Amino acid sequence: MSVPTAAAAPTICAPLAVLGRDVTVPLVTGGEVTYAALDYAASAPALQRVWDDVAAYAPYYGSVHRGAGYLSQLSTDLFENARRTVEEFLDCRADDQLVFTRSTTDSLNLLAAALPAGCEVFVFETEHHASLLPWRDAHVTYLDAPRTPAEAVTTLERALAARPVSVEGGHGPALVCVTGASNVTGELWPVRELTAAAHAHGARIVLDAAQLAPHHPVSVKDLDVDWVAFSGHKLYAPFGSGVLAGRSDWLRAADPYLAGGGASRKVSRRADGGLDVEWHDSAARHEAGSPNVIGAYSIASACKALTEEGFDNLVAREQHLIAVVRAGLAEVPEVRVLSLFGDDAPRVGVISFVVEGWNSSHFAAALSAEYGIGVRDGLFCAHPLVRTLLGSEPRTQGECGAPEAAPGEKSLNAIRVSFGAGTPDEHVERFVRAVRELVRDGARWRYRTEGGRCVPAV
């Protein structure tokens, strides 16, 4: 069975067309302008292709794994075919399992719930909170921020080598969690080298590919990682779905992430009045309830679109956009770009910076209100990393800030610009011009703090 597949939409000054590319927004200074969405690292706009594919399927929607009717069977086929498509996109091993989740955060919390008893977790302080926080029930070693890729590897090697030896004379289970590309600096991490270090010390590794998968190919086989997690809403498929893919043994041995229909193979009453439950040992074990078939299908559609366009083309064009932004920011002495590994480090289209004399919330608000440019300001759900990069000294305050911050840290925030396959050249050119004008001439409007956000004063 198959659902009609929408043809790829024509590109407009970008490799892939996205929804919202023609949306106009008002400016406080008067008039309207086409919105420049430069916050891809938070949520990338949906590909037009994804939207069209989902719309083509919508009339055929039916229950998944539940019904004998034609539409139910078609939807079930669609859901399981989506699983295979994503497995191919990630180049999974033959015996890997791919579980559809709600997000990267959900995927890593699922893995955390599946850790074997006594598992030690090693995670750098530079991680997004989705990777930093799920390991509450494990013994966690937080590793200091490295300043070079090589230092990241040696830091991990030292930490793993220092694990205590058990009474039996060996080490217990261990897991390393690491990002593929920083959501703050965009810098690529040495995943292959970290994986080799983890495996050499008997540990497993999970790759947070939320910021990597939309920009670069991710091969589970080539990288040799044990698991990979990512979110659909960063992969041009914003429908509340995510993926955890990798080795099946820990997942099969763990209690279901959620208990309910779909996760159970057989449920029966015992003579004492209790229940006996036989759980699935497939991916269904951790997919209880009616699955998000549209979310899974949208991820699969995005994977197909990126594959068909070709990452060589996508990476080459993104590197051009990165060069334009970095060159433009380098021309403004008041701008400091945040980096762990230095200017020459390879990176994806995610760049964070601060501007001397400006609170970052104020600067981001002016970009939006006066230029129609959407960026992100704050600590980007990576508080330890951003605080490390900014230091602890409060910076000069702008016209408004974030009153809910701790005393002395009101100005500890940054600005992040991020882009991808749907970004026209004009958007990054407008951004560079806006930064230059705001620093040189100041804001043309007054701003105030409202609900913790900097907004135009009326």
Side-chain angles (χ1 to χ4, degrees), residues 2 14 50-51 63 73 78 87 113 129 137 151 181 185 188 200 299 312 320 341 347 389 439:
S2 62
V50 171
W51 189 261
S63 63
Q73 294 182 49
L78 190 89
E87 288 172 342
H129 293 173
D137 296 328
E151 185 183 341
T185 67
L188 298 178
I299 289 180
D312 288 346
H320 163 70
F341 300 153
R347 66 195 69 225
L389 295 173
V439 173

Side-chain angles (χ1 to χ4, degrees), residues 356-368:
E356 183 181 344
W358 286 79
N359 181 279
S360 294
S361 295
H362 184 197
F363 200 88
L367 285 173
S368 174

Side-chain angles (χ1 to χ4, degrees), residues 96-111:
D96 283 339
Q97 277 190 359
L98 188 146
V99 181
F100 283 115
T101 65
R102 293 178 296 177
S103 59
T104 307
T105 300
D106 195 39
S107 295
L108 293 173
N109 275 272
L110 163 57
L111 185 58

Side-chain angles (χ1 to χ4, degrees), residues 122-368:
F122 296 81
V123 57
F124 286 93
E125 68 171 355
T126 48
E127 293 292 312
H128 186 281
H129 293 173
S131 303
L132 200 64
L133 302 181
W135 322 105
R136 294 183 296 274
D137 296 328
H139 173 71
V140 186
T141 297
Y142 296 104
L143 306 175
D144 292 340
R147 288 299 182 165
T148 67
E151 185 183 341
V153 178
T154 57
T155 297
L156 178 62
E157 288 177 331
R158 285 195 299 267
L160 291 172
R163 282 191 294 159
V165 177
S166 67
V167 175
E168 293 78 14
H171 295 295
L175 178 71
V176 176
C177 182
V178 68
T179 188
S182 171
N183 78 303
V184 176
T185 67
E187 293 163 315
L188 298 178
W189 277 62
V191 177
R192 286 186 184 85
E193 293 82 356
L194 291 167
T195 299
H199 290 168
H201 289 273
R204 296 190 179 190
I205 189 166
V206 57
L207 171 65
D208 175 353
Q211 299 297 340
L212 184 63
H215 303 274
H216 281 267
V218 174
S219 169
V220 171
K221 291 178 185 175
D222 183 44
L223 295 172
D224 198 28
V225 294
D226 298 281
W227 293 276
V228 61
F230 71 88
S231 294
H233 71 98
K234 300 190 192 297
L235 195 81
Y236 310 101
F239 294 99
S241 193
V243 166
L244 176 68
R247 303 200 182 278
S248 61
D249 53 348
W250 286 8
L251 298 177
R252 285 174 175 164
D255 289 337
Y257 185 44
L258 298 173
S264 56
R265 180 184 284 116
K266 180 181 177 181
V267 181
S268 57
R269 288 289 300 273
R270 295 194 305 266
D272 64 4
L275 292 177
D276 284 325
V277 183
E278 181 182 337
W279 303 104
H280 283 293
D281 60 6
S282 65
R285 184 182 189 89
H286 299 292
E287 292 178 342
S290 296
N292 180 3
V293 58
I294 287 184
Y297 185 44
S298 69
I299 289 180
S301 174
C303 289
K304 287 181 180 178
L306 292 170
T307 300
E308 291 168 7
E309 180 63 30
F311 272 105
D312 288 346
N313 177 35
L314 295 173
V315 170
R317 182 172 183 278
E318 184 172 302
Q319 291 304 308
H320 163 70
L321 296 181
I322 292 171
V324 170
V325 172
R326 286 177 59 81
L329 294 179
E331 293 176 354
V332 184
E334 293 84 354
V335 169
R336 177 166 74 90
V337 174
L338 306 183
S339 174
L340 272 176
F341 300 153
D343 290 342
D344 296 331
R347 66 195 69 225
V348 300
V350 179
I351 299 169
S352 296
F353 62 98
V354 291
V355 183
E356 183 181 344
W358 286 79
N359 181 279
S360 294
S361 295
H362 184 197
F363 200 88
L367 285 173
S368 174

